[in-house]
Amino acid sequence: MKEREVLAAAEAVFDAERALRRAADTVDELGDVAASSLRVLDDAATDAFYTHQEDRRDFYLESASEHLARLRNRSGLMNELGEDLSRHLAAAGSAVERAGRELARGTEGDERESEVRVLRTQIDVLSEVVTLARPVADQIIRHAQQAAESSAATDALMLLDSRVHHAGQRVNRADEDLTMMRSVIERAQSRARASAELAASLSYAATHPPASQSWPSGPPQQVHQPDKPAAPGIAI
């Protein structure tokens, strides 16, 4: 494998690691929004319960509507973050594919052939993990969209109960998907870090050949320098 191919593969691996780091950060943000949405849902469910009582019905109905509006905003934010997550995963997938193409080139006669094979195996596994993560991200987006639709404001008491219930189902499903996504992303990051370390080693080896190989005819011979004449004076 030529130096150019090694460096291109290494750069692609580094790009994949960066994209996965951004994906992990986005998953953390999604987790915070999902947790906040579940708290809002609890408040909405409590208000919806009290709307069935005559006492202060209008107050609780208005309060429940406000909670649904807050939930709708959070669902919209989850949708945006879900799309960001999909973009980061797509970038990681593209980088992994690029690394795979570079590593697929011939390595016959290359003293780094065994290391390249190990890196290629790491990349193949990383590709599978990233591929697994992408449909989970799509599910998170879909649940967020459905939660936003379910949290539309309403003045009908029976419809209010139904919307709070359906929105709760969707947010809970999104939260479950996020738990799965964290596990997948952690696996992907672990593989990416190991791949990046090996790619960095290969990259360094490609750009820093051993000293014995840096001279066409071997290292230069030291030229004997004649001793300087001793300075006049008395030897002690």
Side-chain angles (χ1 to χ4, degrees):
M1 177 174 283
K2 297 179 181 178
E3 176 182 328
R4 182 188 64 79
E5 295 161 355
V6 171
L7 295 178
E11 184 60 33
V13 172
F14 300 150
D15 287 344
E17 186 187 24
R18 283 191 290 268
L20 287 170
R21 196 181 310 126
R22 296 188 188 101
D25 292 340
T26 303
V27 169
D28 288 340
E29 292 184 64
L30 274 164
D32 291 341
V33 177
S36 176
S37 298
L38 290 171
R39 290 193 295 270
V40 172
L41 270 166
D42 287 340
D43 293 337
T46 299
D47 288 338
F49 172 79
Y50 283 114
T51 56
H52 293 279
Q53 301 179 11
E54 292 292 338
D55 186 33
R56 304 184 69 187
R57 173 179 293 177
D58 292 341
F59 169 81
Y60 286 112
L61 183 59
E62 182 180 354
S63 180
S65 297
E66 291 175 355
H67 289 315
L68 285 176
R70 291 167 58 197
L71 177 60
R72 190 162 58 252
N73 291 335
R74 282 164 174 73
S75 297
L77 180 56
M78 286 184 66
N79 183 54
E80 293 175 6
L81 289 171
E83 291 176 350
D84 289 343
L85 176 59
S86 290
R87 282 194 292 271
H88 296 323
L89 291 174
S94 177
V96 168
E97 290 177 4
R98 195 166 74 250
R101 287 195 299 270
E102 295 295 338
L103 292 172
R105 302 178 188 275
T107 59
E108 291 79 3
D110 194 327
E111 63 181 7
R112 298 184 301 270
E113 182 177 353
S114 61
E115 291 179 310
V116 171
R117 283 200 304 267
V118 172
L119 180 56
R120 189 182 301 159
T121 300
Q122 290 275 17
I123 290 298
D124 288 343
V125 176
L126 178 57
S127 177
E128 293 177 0
V129 178
V130 172
T131 299
L132 176 64
R134 295 177 72 171
V136 180
D138 293 339
Q139 286 184 177
I140 293 171
I141 293 172
R142 184 165 58 253
H143 292 316
Q145 291 172 340
Q146 292 170 343
E149 294 169 0
S150 298
S151 58
T154 178
D155 292 331
L157 296 184
M158 296 303 296
L159 191 56
L160 174 62
D161 287 334
S162 176
R163 287 186 175 176
V164 170
H165 175 70
H166 288 140
Q169 283 183 321
R170 296 308 171 187
V171 174
N172 273 291
R173 289 290 300 277
D175 190 54
E176 292 170 0
D177 289 338
L178 281 169
T179 300
M180 181 186 300
M181 178 62 78
R182 283 192 188 92
S183 177
V184 174
I185 291 294
E186 286 174 1
R187 288 174 54 198
Q189 283 191 291
S190 176
R191 291 287 181 179
R193 282 192 293 268
S195 298
E197 290 173 2
L198 184 52
S201 175
L202 287 168
S203 178
Y204 183 87
T207 54
H208 295 76
S212 61
Q213 296 180 7
S214 59
W215 304 96
S217 301
Q221 300 295 322
Q222 293 184 348
V223 179
H224 177 72
Q225 299 291 335
D227 293 335
K228 295 181 180 180
I234 300 174
I236 300 176

